[in-house]
Amino acid sequence: MDKMTGSAMGEDTIGAIQEGIRNIAAEMLEAGEVHVFIGYEEGTLPLRTTPAFLTRPEDAVRLVWGPSCENNLAVYLPKFKGTVGVIVKGCDVRTLVNLILENQISRDKVKIVGVPCRGIIDRDRVGKALGIDRIIKKAKATEHNLMLEGDGFDVKLEFQDVLAPSCEVCRYPVPVLCDVLIGDESMARDRKDPEAGYLEVEQFAKLRPDERFSYFAQQIEGCIQCYACRQACPLCYCPECFVDRQSPKWISRWRGLSDKILFHLGRVLHVAGRCVDCGACRRACPAGVDLRLLTKNMEKVVKESFQYESGLDIGGLPLLATYEREDPDDFIL
Amino acid sequence: MLDRDTHIEAFSTMSSPQAVTPVQSCADLPDKDCVVLRAEAPENREPKIVAFLCNWCSYAGADLAGTGRIQYPANVRVIRVPCSGRVDPLMILRCLQRGADGVLVSGCHPGDCHYIAGNYLARRKFVLLDELLDFFGIEKGRVHFSWVSAAEGEKFADVVKQVTETVKALGKPTKLVR
């Protein structure tokens, strides 16, 4: 891996992956292996990419790869009837595994193109590093740096400083399941220990209950109930979400903290044992609500109580569809 | 000013002996507010506990406690469910949201489920809910789970006593209430 770390080489790594993606997409579409190929194309703004749905091989040149390819493309899969080719990062593929496990898509209807992931950038962190009112006109990413240009500034940021929080503690940067892996495993980030991801949660758990509640209440207060988090989440595929139900009406038209809390707790419970910390909900939120601590804590609880880790295996049963006689029950009277 | 529940609570306290000693000076308050103050005073406040009881075990256990004339606090409001596995964690949250002081979910002992594995599946959900509420900062002790069989009238009474005491000690809920 050290051999690859020169900045010129780094640029090449990203370029090589992009080239690989374009080739494989064109190949698959040409051969008629897939009806649609889902990847990323250049967005309308710097540091933005947008999902691309390709049906013709000649369109493959539109596809791009880089640290701003943030969307979890697995979210679109249950919507397609034919065979679909899709680009996945390490976290995305784990949601895809869950979709297969829960019979939302069938394994033979999806061609998984895995990408060894170096992490994606968090635009909030970029904004913070740059300061306010700086409009980025041009952005370029290399292995270790992010070059940003705009009116009157030309900044070189360390990639490490603007990495998304989920990526910082990523345990599976290399897709656990794929038909084709672009490049090789050495191009991915180093695997982090599971404990590293739980440090933040453990620190937070040391606060008094009131302090914890007021932190979450503050976050949730900002929620405008647009449900963008639900839309962005690949695991929120219910045809009728509990928040949309008329009977029972879980969430009323009244926009108060209590109802917002019910929504967010309900959502965390619904993705418990399934969430893979891909960060799609957090990125989708227009109000900046960050409840990553809640989902991360659930992941920790699930791991400690049931020795289960979500999205690693397409065999077996989902966490809550099965049980063990020895499950913890010391809390039961 | 006063919602329906507070009214009912106020009137029920008026006729109970506990209401005789006011805990706070309410000399310059109108009569009805004074009653509410007494009803809301921590030591006079009787918690409301919603109990989801499984039809096959705990509900029958509660029934046995009744026919056996075993005394237990009248704070529980029983909702009969076909199985503890029927209890969606959202129902528990909804109870807390609508002002219940506590929630008790009771089902069959492991291995005794009428539907073979309903209580085992429920147990997994309850582990998650329990940990989630704790981490979220909701007081431990608002939500309780128990296994009570149809033959355990005595245990049901004990569980209700224990739950009522714990919930009473926590005082009035504020965090999730609408």
Side-chain angles (χ1 to χ4, degrees):
Chain A
M1 176 132 171
D2 282 322
K3 278 175 273 159
M4 303 290 290
T5 46
S7 67
M9 285 297 278
E11 227 174 287
D12 278 344
T13 314
I14 296 171
I17 290 177
Q18 178 166 306
E19 207 45 50
I21 289 173
R22 286 177 180 178
N23 290 341
I24 204 83
E27 238 170 68
M28 282 181 173
L29 287 166
E30 190 81 71
E33 266 183 82
V34 295
H35 297 108
V36 184
F37 191 92
I38 314 178
Y40 304 90
E41 64 181 323
E42 211 65 72
T44 44
L45 291 169
L47 288 187
R48 281 283 207 180
T49 56
T50 188
F53 302 87
L54 309 181
T55 48
R56 293 176 307 175
E58 58 268 32
D59 288 340
V61 286
R62 274 162 50 199
L63 294 176
V64 295
W65 176 252
S68 51
C69 292
E70 53 182 35
N71 297 51
N72 187 340
L73 300 177
V75 71
Y76 302 109
L77 293 177
K79 298 184 179 90
F80 285 97
K81 286 212 173 72
T83 315
V84 185
V86 64
I87 299 173
V88 287
K89 301 184 288 290
C91 47
D92 305 345
V93 81
R94 290 175 64 204
T95 57
L96 205 157
V97 165
N98 275 327
L99 289 173
I100 296 171
L101 194 62
E102 292 164 13
N103 293 323
Q104 295 306 309
I105 48 178
S106 75
R107 177 68 187 91
D108 48 1
K109 284 283 174 68
V110 57
K111 287 269 176 260
I112 309 169
V113 180
V115 176
C117 184
R118 298 203 53 81
I120 54 169
I121 47 169
D122 182 287
R123 268 174 286 108
D124 287 349
R125 287 188 171 176
V126 174
K128 266 183 205 139
L130 263 188
I132 47 164
D133 288 342
R134 314 282 295 269
I135 296 165
I136 303 163
K137 296 235 167 118
K138 223 172 129 192
K140 191 170 166 51
T142 60
E143 187 106 346
H144 293 285
N145 297 99
L146 189 64
M147 263 79 87
L148 302 170
E149 270 176 57
D151 281 337
F153 70 93
D154 190 349
V155 189
K156 188 174 176 185
L157 295 175
E158 286 288 317
F159 188 50
Q160 277 305 324
D161 299 339
V162 291
L163 202 60
S166 315
C167 302
E168 274 179 343
V169 293
C170 181
R171 294 204 300 283
Y172 301 97
V174 181
V176 290
L177 170 79
C178 57
D179 296 309
V180 188
L181 183 71
I182 308 281
D184 61 89
E185 293 186 10
S186 67
M187 291 175 179
R189 279 176 67 73
D190 291 335
R191 264 181 81 137
K192 286 280 187 301
D193 294 338
E195 287 71 28
Y198 301 143
L199 277 178
E200 215 182 340
V201 170
E202 277 158 14
Q203 282 296 321
F204 186 79
K206 282 182 194 149
L207 296 177
R208 281 186 291 112
D210 285 339
E211 292 169 331
R212 295 202 294 267
F213 179 79
S214 68
Y215 167 79
F216 287 126
Q218 220 172 10
Q219 286 291 329
I220 293 175
E221 191 94 69
C223 173
I224 55 169
Q225 284 172 279
C226 66
Y227 306 133
C229 44
R230 175 192 70 182
Q231 296 308 115
C233 181
L235 299 175
C236 275
Y237 52 70
C238 291
E240 192 182 24
C241 177
F242 78 104
V243 299
D244 296 328
R245 290 194 72 173
Q246 291 299 315
S247 172
K249 201 164 173 53
W250 294 105
I251 308 286
S252 72
R253 297 251 172 133
W254 174 77
R255 308 242 144 153
L257 182 62
S258 174
D259 273 16
K260 290 179 194 175
I261 290 178
L262 187 76
F263 162 59
H264 286 288
L265 288 185
R267 211 183 97 73
V268 171
L269 283 167
H270 285 175
V271 296
R274 307 163 67 220
C275 176
V276 300
D277 194 17
C278 71
C281 46
R282 188 175 161 279
R283 285 193 299 270
C285 183
V289 177
D290 183 0
L291 295 175
R292 189 166 159 262
L293 276 170
L294 273 186
T295 45
K296 199 74 190 168
N297 181 58
M298 265 344 230
E299 186 187 307
K300 179 167 172 266
V301 169
V302 165
K303 193 152 188 247
E304 283 167 4
S305 305
F306 308 116
Q307 293 77 48
Y308 180 86
E309 226 178 325
S310 151
L312 297 182
D313 189 6
I314 51 168
L317 285 166
L319 176 80
L320 293 178
T322 181
Y323 64 91
E324 291 289 335
R325 273 169 211 285
E326 293 74 31
D327 281 343
D329 64 353
D330 45 341
F331 65 100
I332 295 174
L333 298 174
Chain B
M1 287 291 274
L2 289 172
D3 62 82
R4 208 177 107 256
D5 286 352
T6 333
H7 260 301
I8 295 166
E9 210 171 298
F11 284 118
S12 59
T13 331
M14 246 193 304
S15 54
S16 82
Q18 292 164 317
V20 177
T21 37
V23 286
Q24 225 167 315
S25 162
C26 40
D28 31 303
L29 282 171
D31 258 6
K32 61 171 197 213
D33 287 352
C34 191
V35 174
V36 174
L37 263 185
R38 273 181 227 139
E40 290 291 301
E43 56 268 54
N44 288 344
R45 202 167 171 284
E46 283 298 330
K48 291 194 184 90
I49 296 161
V50 179
F52 292 98
L53 305 184
C54 146
N55 176 45
W56 305 99
C57 293
S58 299
Y59 192 82
D63 201 23
L64 185 68
T67 46
R69 309 265 161 161
I70 305 166
Q71 292 290 319
Y72 62 83
N75 301 64
V76 286
R77 316 291 197 267
V78 175
I79 296 175
R80 182 163 64 150
V81 288
C83 176
S84 49
R86 168 67 184 95
V87 180
D88 186 331
L90 282 175
M91 294 173 172
I92 299 170
L93 294 175
R94 176 68 155 244
C95 292
L96 296 174
Q97 199 194 15
R98 298 299 164 101
D101 295 80
V103 180
L104 166 67
V105 183
S106 190
C108 305
H109 284 277
D112 291 351
C113 180
H114 185 77
Y115 309 99
I116 317 296
N119 52 357
Y120 281 123
L121 294 170
R123 187 168 65 181
R124 287 212 154 172
K125 288 187 271 183
F126 298 155
V127 171
L128 299 180
L129 179 69
D130 207 45
E131 297 280 354
L132 176 65
L133 287 180
D134 184 34
F135 191 75
F136 196 75
I138 308 296
E139 309 90 336
K140 267 229 178 256
R142 291 258 177 237
V143 182
H144 295 264
F145 307 98
S146 69
W147 304 139
V148 173
S149 83
E152 294 176 325
E154 200 79 58
K155 182 176 175 188
F156 181 77
D158 286 344
V159 165
V160 171
K161 271 177 215 153
Q162 196 183 332
V163 170
T164 310
E165 271 166 34
T166 325
V167 170
K168 213 171 189 171
L170 291 175
K172 196 180 174 182
T174 50
K175 286 176 177 158
L176 289 184
V177 185
R178 273 185 84 172

